[in-house]
Amino acid sequence: MVMVTIDRTRLPFRMNTEGYFLDKDGNVLAQISDKSYVVFPGGGIDEGEMPEESIIRETLEETGAIVVKPLKLVSKLQIVWGPNWAKTDKQKLRYNKFKGDEMYFFCGTIHHFEENSKTLEDTWKGEKLMSLNEAISFLEKGKPFSEDVKKYRETQLIILEKLKKKFQKGKSG
């Protein structure tokens, strides 16, 4: 048996999006997944698709939420996956094709929800909104963050804290 070693530094980044969308009450579109981490809508950018188009499509497919356009691009981050990153078969396939994610983070407002006409692998079930405080608190419980997710989790917390301040300012002013 011949072992083939991949030069991971030559692999491209997987283009990816993540969205932070608030309802009129200041709740963020988020879910706790497997009781271990908070997930926000998002996913891979299809070929020929712009990042904003991707997050709008992914958000609708996963949650049924229609968001108000235009969205605000609030951060961009490249994350190199560590050797223990891939847990699922899907992630293991991605690990052999990409060195990590190039993430585009968007913020915006939820206009309304539509019923999903089809159920996909990533379709959310159950509650789709949580308070900003709950999302922040849940992420904070993961500290100290491991090196492979540190920049990503810190970016998530920065975005959520800014949204919280902006929402509170909007309520009082």
Side-chain angles (χ1 to χ4, degrees):
M1 182 172 175
V2 177
M3 293 294 290
V4 178
T5 305
I6 299 170
D7 180 0
R8 296 199 44 77
T9 63
R10 295 186 179 269
L11 294 176
F13 282 98
R14 178 175 179 258
M15 307 301 278
N16 204 351
T17 60
E18 190 164 276
Y20 298 79
F21 304 114
L22 298 182
D23 70 1
K24 64 179 176 32
D25 298 321
N27 296 305
V28 66
L29 191 56
Q31 263 192 345
I32 296 174
S33 175
D34 301 328
K35 303 206 185 303
S36 59
Y37 58 96
V38 178
V39 293
F40 302 91
I45 300 171
D46 291 342
E47 191 170 326
E49 191 175 43
M50 297 301 293
E52 184 175 316
E53 295 168 330
S54 173
I55 192 58
I56 290 169
R57 175 184 52 76
E58 288 283 351
T59 301
L60 177 61
E61 287 175 0
E62 292 175 2
T63 70
I66 305 294
V67 294
V68 178
K69 297 181 238 174
L71 305 178
K72 183 175 182 183
L73 177 64
V74 291
S75 190
K76 183 178 165 186
L77 177 66
Q78 288 185 334
I79 304 162
V80 177
W81 298 329
N84 299 318
W85 172 82
K87 306 283 190 261
T88 66
D89 288 340
K90 189 176 182 179
Q91 289 173 334
K92 289 173 185 172
L93 289 172
R94 286 182 182 155
Y95 187 79
N96 292 323
K97 279 179 73 174
F98 304 102
K99 64 179 156 191
D101 282 314
E102 181 168 298
M103 299 286 301
Y104 293 80
F105 297 89
F106 289 92
C107 288
T109 305
I110 301 167
H111 187 270
H112 67 278
F113 286 91
E114 289 188 353
E115 195 66 40
N116 279 350
S117 59
K118 55 186 175 186
T119 301
L120 304 172
E121 175 187 354
D122 297 336
T123 300
W124 292 16
K125 293 166 183 56
E127 188 58 43
K128 298 174 186 173
L129 296 166
M130 68 173 58
S131 74
L132 285 164
N133 285 335
E134 183 182 358
I136 292 166
S137 174
F138 204 89
L139 282 170
E140 292 277 353
K141 287 182 202 170
K143 286 184 171 179
F145 301 124
S146 61
E147 276 306 309
D148 59 330
V149 297
K150 186 175 181 177
K151 287 194 314 188
Y152 174 59
R153 296 286 183 231
E154 287 174 348
T155 300
Q156 288 180 310
L157 282 169
I158 289 167
I159 292 169
L160 290 168
E161 289 288 354
K162 285 182 179 179
L163 283 173
K164 181 179 168 183
K165 285 179 186 168
K166 184 178 177 184
F167 185 77
Q168 288 173 339
K169 185 178 178 184
K171 277 177 58 175
S172 65

